[in-house]
Amino acid sequence: MFKVIRDLLRYNTEFLAGFTLTLLVLVFASAHFWTPYPGYNLYLLPPDMPPSTEYWFGTTSRGQDVLWQLSEAVWNTMAFGLTVTILSRVIAISVGMVSGYLGGRADRILMSINDTFIALPNIPILLLVYFVLREEMTWPLLAVCAALLGWTYDSRLIRSVSLSLRSREFTRHGVFSGMSTWRILVREHLPYVLPIVFFTAMNNLIWAISLEVTLSVLGFTDINRPSIGGMIYWANQHQAIISGIWWWIAFPILSIVILFLGLFMLAMSVNEYVDPRSRLDRMGGVA
């Protein structure tokens, strides 16, 4: 994996740019651990102060420093996205590899379940869960619900790879040598699936973050927990645009654009790397 990342950084400028942008956002988000103003505290500073040398990103109508609140908000939003991505990757890998390798009745059952989840509308389902569990709803629970809806398309892609690997010679050797099914899947098939998993993980991370931002802007999450969508929600509640407090909305939107751009570049460059022809062309070889 480290060799793959090294090759991408060396030969793929798109990956380098995406990696740099994402790393900058991550460093900025990590700064919230040293914040002098916790995100939950209100009216610690003069409200509605424009960006200046004292308050770089200005302050909100709730007396919060936009710089430090945005740092914590980006961290919380990324934590939600990563949680959804990891959980959904585990489900997608398990269902896709088992379905493709076993085939037959197991494949039909798993793919029927997969297709059922594909047909479910994500946003209405999450809104229904929120209204039913409003008092008990926390961001980890919301992340689990989102992960249960975000694995279906990728599991089909992984299944197609697993189907091709099932008929390969090394798989037959593993079966004849007495290797168990799980050992074949983990030791023999998983290395071939990981590049695709990494590519789909970037796409799923973008989807999960956009989902969190959408729900937060609408007020269907814990709006008191700092997040990018939560900042935009409170800015709208205080009519920041009409009041001329543009920095309250502009900086959260700018941060999400930079993050999405970095993740998109990572996803596209990894997709090119998975394709052998594109990889040889990038490295100066003959496709």
Side-chain angles (χ1 to χ4, degrees), residues 192-240:
Y192 291 90
V193 174
L194 283 179
I196 298 175
V197 170
F198 186 76
F199 164 67
T200 58
M202 294 296 102
N203 290 332
N204 190 257
L205 182 58
I206 294 174
W207 171 81
I209 291 176
S210 63
L211 181 67
E212 194 275 340
V213 171
T214 301
L215 293 175
S216 296
V217 168
L218 296 175
F220 295 124
T221 60
D222 183 3
I223 55 177
N224 292 315
R225 178 177 180 266
S227 67
I228 296 177
M231 290 186 67
I232 299 175
Y233 169 84
W234 283 115
N236 288 331
Q237 291 297 308
H238 287 266
Q239 299 181 338

Side-chain angles (χ1 to χ4, degrees), residues 41 81 133 164 175 271:
N41 293 352
L133 303 175
S164 65
V175 173
N271 185 42

Side-chain angles (χ1 to χ4, degrees), residues 25-137:
V25 173
L26 183 59
V27 170
F28 172 74
S30 302
H32 87 278
F33 289 109
W34 294 275
T35 176
Y37 311 113
Y40 288 96
N41 293 352
L42 305 177
Y43 304 106
L44 297 176
L45 302 171
D48 301 335
M49 298 295 293
S52 62
T53 54
E54 186 176 4
Y55 306 111
W56 289 4
F57 287 6
T59 64
T60 71
S61 299
R62 291 154 56 89
Q64 297 168 304
D65 192 313
V66 174
L67 173 66
W68 293 109
Q69 189 186 32
L70 181 60
S71 177
E72 184 173 355
V74 172
W75 180 270
N76 290 338
T77 298
M78 291 184 67
F80 177 89
L82 286 171
T83 302
V84 174
T85 299
I86 292 172
L87 292 177
S88 62
R89 293 314 86 193
V90 172
I91 300 174
I93 292 173
S94 301
V95 173
M97 292 183 65
V98 171
S99 177
Y101 179 75
L102 294 181
R105 185 177 181 182
D107 182 31
R108 290 193 297 272
I109 293 175
L110 289 174
M111 286 301 101
S112 297
I113 297 173
N114 186 93
D115 294 341
T116 301
F117 273 90
I118 287 178
L120 296 177
N122 295 340
I123 296 292
I125 293 272
L126 291 174
L127 293 181
L128 177 62
V129 172
Y130 173 81
F131 282 116
V132 172
L133 303 175
R134 177 177 297 183
E135 299 300 327
E136 295 81 17
M137 178 59 69

